[in-house]
Amino acid sequence: QWQLGLNIMHDMSEQELQPSTVSFNAAMNACAAGRQWQLALSLLHYMAEVSIAPNIISYNTAISSCSEDSQWCVAVKLLSVLTDRELAPDEISFNAVISACEKASEWELALALFTSLSERMLQPNVISCSATMSALEKGKQWQAAVSLLYTTAARSVEPNE
């Protein structure tokens, strides 16, 4: 599927059709689904070269593709770039980076990102809570996991079963 997305982008270029943010996002999503995080990042960078501004969906797609392939460092960097570009990260951005940290057993960073959600006026949800709890479990931080469970219950976030 990711090959088809790239072929369509190439065909658009050959037919002198101007790709849009939507077409780039679709191609990046196909790359993410095919676990081709490097290609998704290449498309994100190429957008700037052809003067097409990436939006929050572009960055979230790139971050998610890194998360799926356990590229937590790249996911964290993209979150930083997103802020530098004056695009406000949303819950999806944070969930993807927290999930990447969880997969890499980076519990301290996952917890810091989870904590920063409320500082940014974003609402933690079952995905961010579950990924952070899992990271804490992998780091053998059971006390922090129990504390997080109580905190999320107080915020009315439904625990994952």
Side-chain angles (χ1 to χ4, degrees):
Q1 186 179 29
W2 62 270
Q3 295 100 333
L4 179 60
L6 293 180
N7 286 339
I8 291 171
M9 293 296 291
H10 178 68
D11 291 346
M12 286 179 74
S13 169
E14 283 189 348
Q15 295 178 12
E16 298 181 11
L17 295 172
Q18 180 66 25
S20 66
T21 303
V22 172
S23 57
F24 271 100
N25 289 349
M28 287 172 48
N29 195 45
C31 291
R35 301 183 66 93
Q36 301 294 318
W37 67 273
Q38 299 99 329
L39 291 174
L41 286 182
S42 293
L43 287 170
L44 182 66
H45 295 300
Y46 185 64
M47 289 175 80
E49 290 179 30
V50 295
S51 301
I52 296 177
N55 60 18
I56 187 69
I57 297 168
S58 310
Y59 279 96
N60 285 347
T61 302
I63 291 169
S64 294
S65 71
C66 292
S67 175
E68 289 303 314
D69 270 347
S70 301
Q71 299 297 319
W72 69 273
C73 288
V74 180
V76 170
K77 177 66 176 165
L78 284 171
L79 186 65
S80 171
V81 169
L82 183 59
T83 306
D84 293 344
R85 301 271 165 103
E86 298 182 6
L87 290 170
D90 60 11
E91 288 88 349
I92 296 169
S93 313
F94 278 91
N95 288 348
V97 178
I98 291 170
S99 293
C101 292
E102 178 267 327
K103 290 174 184 158
S105 299
E106 293 290 330
W107 69 267
E108 292 167 307
L109 186 52
L111 185 57
L113 289 165
F114 181 84
T115 303
S116 72
L117 278 169
S118 57
E119 294 168 5
R120 293 178 175 269
M121 308 304 264
L122 297 172
Q123 195 64 27
N125 59 29
V126 70
I127 296 169
S128 52
C129 293
S130 296
T132 305
M133 298 263 296
S134 180
L136 292 169
E137 174 193 9
K138 288 180 179 180
K140 299 183 181 5
Q141 302 298 312
W142 65 269
Q143 291 169 320
V146 169
S147 176
L148 181 63
L149 182 62
Y150 283 116
T151 302
T152 56
R155 289 183 182 168
S156 299
V157 176
E158 291 295 319
N160 202 4
E161 296 189 23

